[in-house]
Amino acid sequence: MEIQEHYTGHVQPGGAAARRRLDALTVTKISVGRMDNNAYLLTCRRTGDALLIDAADDPERLTDLLGHDEDRPRLRTIVTTHRHPDHWQALGSIAGQTGSYTVAHPLDSEPLPVPPDREVEHGETIQVGESALEVVHLRGHTPGSIALLYRDPVGHPHLFTGDSLFPGGVGKTRTPEDFRSLLDDVENRVFGVLTDDTWFYPGHGDDSTLGNERPKLSEWRARGW
């Protein structure tokens, strides 16, 4: 599989993956499926252990992303950010092939095709080799939507937001109450505690930074979506 080493945050359906090299982790982003879902492979550079965020679709492409060489990453964990089917179509296949440990929030675990080996709550951590990801529960897009935060000790934070936060707004909600819940959580648990240089990676489309989006928060609340 072709992998672009110059990371911009943009990938295309059927196109090359994009890899970002941090001091302790690599982040590899790929677009899969008919709904242009993003899947993220995080690999510990010291141990070779890996974690996949959203085995969304196209199990063949995800398998190719892992590679076939002896030194390929060892996929230990698959995290599902939320219950919507476009984010777990390949979960059963990839978990079955690799024997990976599966993780989700308990409020979103019931619809998944593979019962989570671990259910996580807000504030818990998930290991990727020698690095830790913090679970951020963002209530509203679905009851159990989670984001994963990596605090790079030698750089800026990295936040994987699923469908809870995108460039230009929060994720889709079904009721005004759900919208207020999601925006409140995004304001308090994301923008309220993380710096403007935090890079975030959504479940669809391009990446952004909190600094780019922060000035728009009041506009999002006023428009109601």
Side-chain angles (χ1 to χ4, degrees):
M1 173 176 290
E2 181 184 358
I3 298 180
Q4 299 172 351
E5 295 290 346
H6 176 64
Y7 189 87
T8 65
H10 178 73
V11 292
Q12 299 184 93
R19 177 171 292 152
R20 184 174 209 168
R21 296 184 182 273
L22 309 178
D23 182 65
L25 293 176
T26 62
V27 178
T28 308
K29 177 178 182 177
I30 189 171
S31 171
V32 295
R34 293 177 298 172
M35 296 184 68
D36 188 16
N37 284 74
N38 295 326
Y40 298 94
L41 181 69
L42 279 57
T43 305
C44 177
R45 299 185 68 178
R46 295 176 178 86
T47 67
D49 290 345
L51 176 148
L52 180 65
I53 299 174
D54 286 343
D57 210 337
D58 289 347
E60 296 85 1
R61 276 172 61 77
L62 293 177
T63 300
D64 287 345
L65 184 66
L66 289 168
H68 303 279
D69 300 329
E70 289 187 2
D71 61 348
R72 66 186 181 275
R74 294 179 296 275
L75 185 61
R76 304 292 196 190
T77 309
I78 304 172
V79 180
T80 303
T81 58
H82 62 287
R83 65 168 67 180
H84 288 159
D86 61 307
H87 288 260
W88 50 254
Q89 290 297 308
L91 177 60
S93 176
I94 299 299
Q97 289 178 42
T98 62
S100 302
Y101 195 73
T102 60
V103 180
H105 191 279
L107 293 178
D108 272 15
S109 65
E110 192 276 331
L112 303 182
V114 177
D117 296 304
R118 179 185 174 192
E119 294 180 333
V120 291
E121 300 279 1
H122 179 72
E124 295 186 29
T125 60
I126 304 168
Q127 287 297 126
V128 190
E130 297 180 359
S131 297
L133 305 175
E134 301 173 27
V135 176
V136 184
H137 187 195
L138 301 173
R139 300 157 290 189
H141 181 64
T142 65
S145 288
I146 58 173
L148 298 176
L149 172 63
Y150 173 58
R151 298 181 186 268
D152 188 346
V154 297
H156 54 77
H158 298 261
L159 182 68
F160 301 85
T161 57
D163 283 1
S164 291
L165 177 64
F166 296 94
V170 296
K172 184 178 180 180
T173 52
R174 300 182 65 180
T175 67
E177 292 76 20
D178 286 343
F179 168 75
R180 288 192 292 270
S181 173
L182 179 54
L183 187 55
D184 286 347
D185 274 358
V186 165
E187 284 191 323
N188 296 327
R189 296 181 172 186
V190 175
F191 287 93
V193 296
L194 297 173
T195 53
D196 282 352
D197 61 354
T198 301
W199 190 284
F200 73 89
Y201 306 76
H204 305 264
D206 293 350
D207 307 347
S208 187
T209 65
L210 296 189
N212 285 340
E213 307 305 316
R214 193 183 300 274
K216 308 168 189 174
L217 286 169
S218 58
E219 173 190 335
W220 300 350
R221 190 173 291 278
R223 75 189 185 192
W225 56 273

